[in-house]
Amino acid sequence: MAKRNFAGKPALFVTVFCVAVSLIHVYYNSFGLIEVVQKNMIHISLMMGVIFLTVPAGKRSPGTNPSKLDWVFFALSLAVGIYLLVSHQRWVETFLRPNQMDLVYAAVFMLLIIEAARRTVGVPLTTIAVTFLVYTYVGPWMPGALAHMGFGVERIMIRMTMTSEGILGVAAMVSASYIFMFILFASFFKATKASEFFNDLASALTGGTRGGPAKASIFASALTGTISGSSQANVATTGSFTIPLMISVGYKPYFAAAVEAIASTGGVLMPPIMGAAAFIMSSYLGVPYNTIMIAAITPAILYYWTLFHMVDLGAVRWNLSGLPKDQLPRFAEVMKSRGHLLAPLVAIIGFLLMGFSPLLAAFIGIVSVLAVSFLRAETRLSWGEFFRALEEGAKNGATIAIICGIIGFIIASVGMTGIGQTIGNNIIKWSGGTLAFTAFFCMIAAIILGMGLPGPACYIITATVAAPALVRIGVPQLAAHFFAFYFGTMSSVVPPVALTSYTAGAIAQTGPNRVAFTGLFLGSAGLLLPYMYINNPVLLGIDFHVLRYITVLGASLAGLYSLAIAVIGNLKAKVAIWERVFFALGAFLLITADMNIRSVGICVFAAVYVQHLYRHRRSRQG
């Protein structure tokens, strides 16, 4: 998504408008009371305005200031927002009986959100959303199970633009409140140079160990991921520092880029923000957000556990050492100068765990960032940085807002036509109702549908298509939605549309396809994890029992370590082909639901592990 570099008076106007947009959101999310549809409309209307001012319509559009058409779209965006605020009470009193002007409003609003989505996220997501919209009307002419009774144009327009079930539905509500406030928090946090702090902290803790820069990449990406919510932004932020460091100690450029891509993708799965999709999941399922956040902790640990051992074993295989101590920041000095920047994160997580709303937690986070930034001169925000953070918050929030608005077409269409249930029934039919095959087909659907899409859109689409089938065969609803969420997220590193890998490859100046395929192997934990927690929902805290959790977690850690050995092909020394096969077999046995099979898996893993150590010792003695 290209953005304009403003010049002259329009630059000042855009800055003032974006600052005002952020302040309006802070007001109505903190002090103001407003009905949800009106609140959502203010949000979507203002964010469409931001997009039309800041994002060119195409390559031929002006790259500096908005065109006349952009100003028209900007004015129309504000106009449809004002029209809804003026007309909403009348719609309520007349039970949504529209007049001619209401239908004009609806048509203009739908066209504006489609154009804003095209500019923001491109053709793929926009086409998918419009296809669902059209499907709502053409249902009577569809073949077989895809047919439905169909809906008139007027009814579709009302549902999409005047109710809380379309563009102004649950996704827009979450974007207008939780997501925007956390994005604003991230903007202020970034203004304190928190990314530099995370990089220094990661280097201080792990940079001196074997393969230290790669481990620093993992640690820094995990920390940055807790606030960024975007794997590509994570790569751009931490990768510009960690990828050159990895290359400097001997990692191949494609491997260094793959490590950063996979580590940054895992950052999107890290609580508390989780790429904004977790907030939608919370509202979609009607469960408290802290339930989602707590459920995500163990999968995130398992994901980074595997990646850590991948790079550690790789460092052994290629005989890579860490950086000299004189090239590393000192932990004590890093914490003394900028350790106070951890306080806002601790405050947010603490408030969420205590059961407070994400909205309050985000507000506390923003206030605490502003407060702690004044504790040190190097993190203190000037007035210019303060207003730039407000401006950046509005611009970054606009992208998510438009995504959440356009996927309202999908949510409303699924609710009206029942297509999600139809697809789910067909998946079960093709799989014969078995968990393994149903999960496999859902995985393929989630990866394909999620390719090239941002996190919130990935989640909504994959949850619509994949999750219902899993729920139908007995998978707990939370586990089914996490399954869809993880595979939708992992689509960003799965070839051929591996956008995160392409970003990392550009930094490393190496071929993106090799980065993507290397990342696919390094990220194999991300492809196994969803199967682990639909087989063992206790990993998500479902039907939690301490002894069962410890048993399953221990088997999972051993299984993923075994997988890392099989993928890298090294332990104490190079692993023989037959050993790799048995390590892989042990990994798959250890992630199953059956305790007896897990016991066989631990025996396989232990036997081949001990045999390898014995062989390595004999070779050294000989």
Side-chain angles (χ1 to χ4, degrees), residues 120-282:
T120 307
V121 292
V123 174
L125 176 58
T126 308
T127 302
I128 292 172
V130 172
T131 300
F132 272 89
L133 176 65
V134 172
Y135 173 70
T136 308
Y137 176 75
V138 301
W141 299 281
M142 295 297 290
L146 294 177
H148 62 83
M149 65 180 184
F151 299 89
V153 173
E154 183 175 302
R155 184 172 177 182
I156 293 172
M157 295 172 76
I158 292 171
R159 187 77 168 257
M160 296 296 173
T161 64
M162 302 180 194
T163 73
S164 60
E165 299 174 8
I167 302 172
L168 305 176
V170 61
M173 181 273 290
V174 174
S175 175
S177 51
Y178 311 145
I179 294 176
F180 184 85
M181 292 297 281
F182 272 100
I183 287 174
L184 193 58
F185 162 75
S187 295
F188 280 110
F189 206 45
K190 179 182 175 183
T192 64
K193 299 179 178 62
S195 295
E196 295 177 12
F197 165 59
F198 287 154
N199 285 335
D200 288 346
L201 180 62
S203 295
L205 290 173
T206 62
T209 63
R210 62 189 186 194
K215 295 173 183 175
S217 168
I218 295 170
F219 191 50
S221 295
L223 287 173
T224 305
T226 61
I227 60 168
S228 76
S230 166
S231 58
Q232 292 179 61
N234 209 345
V235 167
T237 302
T238 61
S240 58
F241 166 77
T242 59
I243 290 175
L245 267 184
M246 283 187 269
I247 295 172
S248 72
V249 299
Y251 280 107
K252 302 293 185 182
Y254 72 87
F255 190 89
V259 169
E260 179 58 43
I262 295 300
S264 294
T265 300
V268 179
L269 309 174
M270 282 285 290
I273 296 180
M274 298 172 62
F279 299 113
I280 299 176
M281 189 188 302
S282 173

Side-chain angles (χ1 to χ4, degrees), residues 189-461:
F189 206 45
K190 179 182 175 183
T192 64
K193 299 179 178 62
S195 295
E196 295 177 12
F197 165 59
F198 287 154
N199 285 335
D200 288 346
L201 180 62
S203 295
L205 290 173
T206 62
T209 63
R210 62 189 186 194
K215 295 173 183 175
S217 168
I218 295 170
F219 191 50
S221 295
L223 287 173
T224 305
T226 61
I227 60 168
S228 76
S230 166
S231 58
Q232 292 179 61
N234 209 345
V235 167
T237 302
T238 61
S240 58
F241 166 77
T242 59
I243 290 175
L245 267 184
M246 283 187 269
I247 295 172
S248 72
V249 299
Y251 280 107
K252 302 293 185 182
Y254 72 87
F255 190 89
V259 169
E260 179 58 43
I262 295 300
S264 294
T265 300
V268 179
L269 309 174
M270 282 285 290
I273 296 180
M274 298 172 62
F279 299 113
I280 299 176
M281 189 188 302
S282 173
S283 298
Y284 202 75
L285 297 179
V287 300
Y289 180 74
N290 60 355
T291 300
I292 305 292
M293 187 179 72
I294 292 170
I297 292 173
T298 300
I301 291 171
L302 293 173
Y303 183 95
Y304 279 109
W305 161 271
T306 313
L307 184 55
F308 179 88
H309 284 291
M310 292 271 193
V311 301
D312 184 62
L313 294 171
V316 175
R317 178 171 183 173
W318 299 308
N319 194 28
L320 302 177
S321 59
L323 292 170
K325 286 187 176 180
D326 59 359
Q327 294 183 24
L328 294 171
R330 294 184 178 182
F331 176 77
E333 292 179 359
V334 171
M335 292 301 294
K336 182 178 179 180
S337 63
R338 287 175 288 177
H340 58 287
L341 293 178
L342 291 174
L345 283 178
V346 173
I348 286 177
I349 294 171
F351 271 79
L352 289 172
L353 290 176
M354 287 188 290
F356 290 95
S357 73
L359 202 56
L360 178 61
F363 182 75
I364 293 297
I366 293 171
V367 172
S368 61
V369 165
L370 294 175
V372 302
S373 71
F374 283 89
L375 296 178
R376 292 286 187 275
E378 57 265 34
T379 61
R380 191 172 300 143
L381 298 182
S382 66
W383 279 109
E385 290 169 329
F386 176 81
F387 286 117
R388 277 195 295 274
L390 288 172
E391 180 182 4
E392 183 180 305
K395 290 179 178 178
N396 292 341
T399 301
I400 300 295
I402 299 306
I403 293 169
C404 290
I406 196 71
I407 60 179
F409 286 162
I410 299 172
I411 297 172
S413 177
V414 169
M416 296 171 75
T417 65
I419 184 61
Q421 197 68 35
T422 299
I423 295 175
N425 290 338
N426 279 287
I427 289 177
I428 294 172
K429 181 180 177 181
W430 298 331
S431 65
T434 61
L435 176 59
F437 284 110
T438 302
F440 177 78
F441 285 129
C442 288
M443 174 191 74
I444 298 300
I447 290 176
I448 292 174
L449 291 172
M451 283 183 177
L453 301 183
C458 279
Y459 168 67
I460 288 294
I461 294 174

Side-chain angles (χ1 to χ4, degrees), residues 488-576:
T489 301
M490 289 301 296
S491 67
S492 68
V493 291
V494 175
V497 188
L499 296 182
T500 303
S501 297
Y502 287 7
T503 304
I507 296 174
Q509 296 182 347
T510 188
N513 290 326
R514 194 170 187 184
V515 173
F517 281 103
T518 303
L520 183 61
F521 284 103
L522 293 177
S524 50
L527 299 178
L528 274 184
L529 273 172
Y531 290 97
M532 293 168 67
Y533 50 67
I534 62 171
N535 282 318
N536 300 289
V538 70
L539 291 173
L540 298 178
I542 299 170
D543 296 328
F544 186 81
H545 185 277
V546 174
L547 183 58
R548 188 189 316 125
Y549 174 79
I550 292 173
T551 302
V552 173
L553 179 62
S556 301
L557 291 170
L560 292 172
Y561 179 51
S562 186
L563 178 68
I565 297 170
V567 170
I568 297 299
N570 206 82
L571 187 53
K572 295 296 183 179
K574 187 176 180 180
V575 175

